Amino acid sequence: MSPAPATAAIPGYLAGTWKADPAHCRISFSLRFLTLGTERGRFTDCDATIVTREEPQRSALTATIDVASIDTGNEKRDTHLRSADYLDAENHPTMSYRSTGIHPSGDGWTVDGDLTLHGVTRQVPLAVEVNGFGPGASGAQQAAFFATADIDRRDFGITARTDGGGVLVGYKVSISLVIQAVLQK
């Protein structure tokens, strides 16, 4: 008996080109701060396209994020994070992600891909859950995804420290993405 096709495990799965709906997307991050607590933030401006194929493993994802759209709820901190000490938004205004492969993993999927941040490109896998496919409130076909990844900011040349040499902001950055996308005609 041959295994069921991967699409059978994704109710309502549709092949097509999907654009992220900015009103229903959240790209957030968290990291240690002063080794005392966790700081959280998000990026408010992103553009993502997901192309689902009949065979999900052949699907693709591209995304671009405006790093100046960082929002931690503290404008002074946001300004510092946009500076050359961290994201250097003036010289590196966007970060981007481009998938290079997709495969089933446990109860979900792993999207392998290249993240370009701060002018440096590194491979970063995303652990992805497909939340579903179906008609949204407007009647348009929508797809919803949740993804997570961890990166080390030093891998991207972001190495800022305090004047005393201690770490002000942790090196490990946990990223989560909640993406709702609309099927394009």
Side-chain angles (χ1 to χ4, degrees), residues 39-87:
E39 288 296 328
R40 290 172 169 65
R42 65 189 184 120
F43 292 94
T44 61
D45 186 1
C46 77
D47 178 36
T49 301
I50 302 158
V51 178
T52 55
R53 307 263 190 228
E54 291 296 328
E55 297 173 30
Q57 295 89 333
R58 293 186 47 239
S59 298
L61 161 69
T62 58
T64 302
I65 299 165
D66 178 357
V67 298
S69 73
I70 193 167
D71 178 10
T72 64
N74 180 308
E75 187 54 41
K76 183 177 178 183
R77 179 176 42 231
D78 295 348
T79 298
H80 189 207
L81 290 172
R82 290 179 193 110
S83 77
D85 286 346
Y86 290 98
L87 295 172

Side-chain angles (χ1 to χ4, degrees), residues 86-103:
Y86 290 98
L87 295 172
D88 195 8
E90 185 175 327
N91 292 308
H92 306 287
T94 61
M95 71 174 103
S96 63
Y97 189 84
R98 183 183 58 82
S99 65
T100 58
I102 297 174
H103 55 90

Side-chain angles (χ1 to χ4, degrees), residues 105-165:
S105 179
D107 290 338
W109 298 83
T110 296
V111 175
D112 297 314
D114 294 329
L115 175 65
T116 300
L117 169 62
H118 202 246
V120 177
T121 301
R122 296 278 185 260
Q123 292 182 350
V124 174
L126 297 173
V128 177
E129 295 175 26
V130 179
N131 294 340
F133 289 77
S138 69
Q141 288 296 320
Q142 295 186 355
F145 307 90
F146 175 73
T148 59
D150 290 318
I151 64 170
D152 187 319
R153 64 185 176 87
R154 294 173 293 188
D155 292 343
F156 296 90
I158 304 171
T159 58
R161 302 174 73 85
T162 63
D163 290 340

